[in-house]
Amino acid sequence: MKWHKQLLSKLQERRNKKIVLAIDTSTTQTGTLLIENIVKLFGQVCPETLLVQADFKIRSITSIKNTEIRYFTHGKSSYTEVLEWAEKEDVDTIFYITDVTGFFYEELVFDKEIFWLVPDKFIPKVPFGKAICVA
């Protein structure tokens, strides 16, 4: 599992940075056990990480220790609100678990570091940042 080492390395390199783990909760198609394990990894390596749950809007912002994740089944996803919030909060790095099928405003400028954690063998082209296959 190459992605485990890659993700662990990225987290260790950013221990003293402001990190956010965002989860696209617009669907349950992604393996919930996989997401739970990623959340646990973040909690162990970077316990100060904020957990953002969002679909077409931000549903919650909590400590990574609050692992109760609520999913929705409407399939609508937008990254705009999360990315704007991360800019405003001066987040250093955002890790976003998503299938990258959501939308964001074309005019959106996002200057922070972002890693798209894609839980599928097929990785679509990401709008910016770097994609990591976590399947």
Side-chain angles (χ1 to χ4, degrees):
M1 301 235 176
K2 182 180 170 184
W3 69 265
H4 289 104
K5 289 181 183 179
Q6 186 179 13
L7 185 56
L8 180 59
S9 172
K10 300 233 179 278
L11 288 175
Q12 289 171 333
E13 291 167 3
R14 290 158 182 81
R15 273 200 181 147
N16 297 318
K17 305 269 184 172
K18 190 171 183 179
I19 297 173
V20 168
L21 175 62
I23 301 173
D24 177 355
T25 58
S26 65
T27 182
T28 56
Q29 284 183 315
T30 301
T32 56
L33 181 59
L34 172 65
I35 292 174
E36 289 171 18
N37 287 332
I38 292 172
V39 169
K40 285 178 189 173
L41 176 66
F42 274 77
Q44 291 170 352
V45 178
C46 299
E48 299 82 27
T49 300
L50 288 175
L51 177 65
V52 177
Q53 296 183 51
D55 47 21
F56 58 86
K57 66 179 183 175
I58 293 176
R59 297 289 182 164
S60 69
I61 300 170
T62 60
S63 162
I64 196 73
K65 293 173 179 74
N66 177 9
T67 58
E68 184 180 336
I69 301 168
R70 183 168 177 223
Y71 295 95
F72 299 85
T73 57
H74 51 67
K76 298 177 195 164
S77 180
S78 171
Y79 309 122
T80 302
E81 193 172 330
V82 173
L83 298 179
E84 287 176 340
W85 171 85
E87 282 281 345
K88 188 177 97 185
E89 293 297 315
D90 202 27
V91 169
D92 294 306
T93 305
I94 186 167
F95 292 85
Y96 212 127
I97 302 173
T98 180
D99 57 7
V100 197
T101 59
F103 66 91
F104 62 93
Y105 293 124
E106 293 288 328
E107 304 83 38
L108 180 70
V109 176
F110 189 72
D111 295 328
K112 305 297 181 177
E113 182 176 47
I114 185 165
F115 293 96
W116 304 92
L117 305 180
V118 183
D120 195 348
K121 296 287 184 201
F122 172 75
I123 300 181
K125 185 177 187 290
V126 294
F128 41 79
K130 182 172 192 235
I132 300 174
C133 174
V134 291

